[in-house]
């Protein structure tokens, strides 16, 4: 038993070592990966819960690593945040997805403005040139500020002081939407919402998961109902993440949520997919 236990620990150590080596390898490879163009963006549609039409798309970054294949953001965003590479990487994501959104916009003028949602990490939020760079990216692409939505996690804004909120306020005044991402996971004070320059709440996937059961937990329903009514009374739109079934979509629509995102509608994919969905909407 002792020997087996020893082996088990040895194995656990080896796995931990392998993970650490990969982490180290990925971290050191990040800057060159950006120079070599190994990152790409997948887009996931956001739809109106009322009629299922496309409201916009969220840009989700991936890394096509020469040895490890395609890596999801959970594998490298924390590393990029740790080393500061998230600032140039995030800048690239913003530039690329805004350019893409303007391309869609020019081809689909009939359906109203298509929104592009871009995730901002805390380091970008703290960066002194966030506002100037965003203005620059919008001007160079030709996209109107009202078509851009920047997603900031609830946890990044907990306890935020005025210095941190000022750039977001400036962006909001220009017409850029600010969304509070992963809402409901950060234990933020609901009254605090009034202070934040946000116009969209993105309800975390955990709420949507709670609607999988039939019948859904009545307490879960009450909580979502309460959040939606509070959000609407503050003039905030509510988006729900992680909608995987038609039953969830229907439940969330009845609870008054405005827009939704999830595998039920489409997985994140190549930009052509959004183009095709917009063409289908126009019929
Ligand atoms: P997020 O912003 O909460 O993005 C939603 C995540 O949920 C995405 O994971 C998406 O693929 C996944 N998802 C969408 N629909 C469903 C569904 O129906 N069911 C389930 N189970 N999952 C669904 P992804 O693409 O792996 O991204 C993970 C996180 O990485 C994002 O979470 C975001 O925090 C971060 N991220 C992605 N792109 C960027 C970026 O360009 N910059 C920064 N700073 N963070 C990014
Ligand atoms: Ca997001
Ligand atoms: Ca989210
Ligand atoms: Ca999330």
């Amino acid at each position: 038993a002792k020997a087996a236990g020893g082996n088990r620990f040895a194995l656990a150590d080896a796995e931990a070592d392998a993970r650490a080596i990969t982490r180290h390898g990925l971290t050191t490879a990040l800057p060159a990966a950006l120079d070599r163009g190994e990152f790409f963006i997948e887009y996931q549609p956001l739809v109106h819960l009322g009629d299922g039409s496309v409201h916009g798309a969220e840009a989700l970054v991936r890394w096509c690593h020469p040895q490890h294949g395609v890596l999801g953001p959970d594998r490298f965003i924390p590393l990029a945040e740790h080393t500061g590479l998230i600032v140039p990487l995030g800048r690239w994501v913003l530039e690329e997805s805004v350019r893409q959104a303007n391309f869609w916009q020019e081809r689909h003028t009939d359906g109203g403005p298509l929104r592009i949602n871009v995730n901002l990490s805390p380091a970008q939020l703290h960066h002194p040139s966030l506002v100037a760079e965003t203005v620059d990216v919008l001007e160079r692409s030709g996209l109107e500020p009202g078509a851009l939505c920047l997603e900031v996690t609830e946890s990044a804004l907990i306890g935020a002081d005025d210095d941190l909120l000022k750039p977001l306020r400036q962006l909001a005044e220009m017409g850029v939407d600010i969304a509070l991402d992963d809402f409901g996971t950060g234990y933020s004070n609901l009254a605090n919402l009034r202070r934040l320059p946000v116009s969209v709440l993105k309800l975390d996937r955990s709420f949507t998961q709670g609607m999988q059961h039939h019948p859904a937990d009545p307490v879960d329903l009450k909580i979502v109902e309460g959040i939606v009514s509070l959000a609407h009374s503050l003039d905030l739109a509510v988006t729900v993440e992680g909608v995987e079934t038609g039953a969830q979509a229907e439940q969330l629509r009845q609870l008054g949520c405005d827009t939704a995102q999830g595998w039920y509608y489409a997985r994140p994919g190549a930009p052509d997919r959004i183009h095709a969905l917009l063409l289908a909407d126009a019929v």
Side-chain angles (χ1 to χ4, degrees):
K2 190 163 186 271
N7 283 339
R8 203 159 56 230
F9 285 120
L11 193 60
D13 280 352
E15 279 171 6
D17 285 350
R19 270 199 305 274
I21 290 164
T22 319
R23 210 159 41 231
H24 178 74
L26 292 180
T27 306
T28 50
L30 273 168
L34 187 58
D35 289 340
R36 281 200 292 262
E38 291 173 5
F39 294 100
F40 66 100
I41 300 173
E42 287 194 323
Y43 297 88
Q44 187 177 36
L46 275 87
V47 306
H48 292 284
L49 272 166
D51 62 4
S53 63
V54 177
H55 171 75
E58 180 174 3
L60 296 160
V61 69
R62 279 92 179 83
W63 181 2
C64 186
H65 189 284
Q67 279 93 45
H68 303 293
V70 173
L71 303 177
D74 292 337
R75 292 287 301 280
F76 62 86
I77 290 285
L79 307 178
E81 273 169 354
H82 190 69
T83 59
L85 196 84
I86 190 66
V87 172
L89 176 60
R91 197 181 287 142
W92 177 80
V93 171
L94 179 70
E95 172 116 44
E96 177 63 20
S97 52
V98 161
R99 190 194 58 72
Q100 181 60 250
N102 192 58
F103 174 90
W104 289 323
Q105 205 86 284
E106 284 174 349
R107 276 152 194 82
H108 304 277
T109 44
D110 41 336
L114 180 88
R115 332 295 309 277
I116 183 73
N117 286 37
V118 181
N119 293 287
L120 270 197
S121 84
Q124 291 175 276
L125 205 58
H126 288 273
H127 199 274
S129 53
L130 173 69
V131 177
E133 275 172 12
T134 307
V135 169
D136 184 53
V137 164
L138 286 168
E139 279 175 356
R140 275 187 290 119
S141 73
L143 192 79
E144 68 271 34
L148 175 64
C149 178
L150 296 174
E151 300 192 358
V152 182
T153 61
E154 185 188 13
S155 55
L157 291 186
I158 283 179
D161 58 11
D162 279 335
D163 286 346
L164 191 67
L165 295 180
K166 197 173 157 211
L168 289 181
R169 278 206 188 96
Q170 284 175 309
L171 290 165
E173 275 160 21
M174 285 165 42
V176 173
D177 273 328
I178 311 293
L180 208 49
D181 205 354
D182 301 343
F183 184 77
T185 59
Y187 310 100
S188 72
N189 180 348
L190 288 176
N192 208 10
L193 277 177
R194 297 170 60 186
R195 229 168 51 81
L196 303 177
V198 298
S199 47
V200 181
L201 284 192
K202 282 193 89 170
L203 214 52
D204 192 68
R205 187 158 74 227
S206 50
F207 290 100
T208 319
Q209 274 163 351
M211 316 252 130
Q212 263 163 14
H213 313 285
H214 292 283
D217 181 342
V219 176
D220 282 353
L221 295 182
K222 281 281 169 221
I223 291 172
V224 174
E225 206 173 12
I227 292 175
V228 171
S229 92
L230 175 87
H232 286 168
S233 73
L234 294 171
D235 267 335
L236 306 176
V238 179
T239 298
V240 286
E241 306 184 311
V243 177
E244 295 181 357
T245 68
Q248 286 172 331
E250 179 52 23
Q251 184 78 262
L252 291 157
R253 190 188 64 76
Q254 282 176 21
L255 289 168
C257 298
D258 303 292
T259 49
Q261 189 179 350
W263 296 346
Y264 173 63
Y265 303 102
R267 299 215 175 204
D272 290 0
R273 182 71 202 281
I274 302 291
H275 192 56
L277 289 171
L278 290 168
L279 285 174
D281 274 359
V283 177

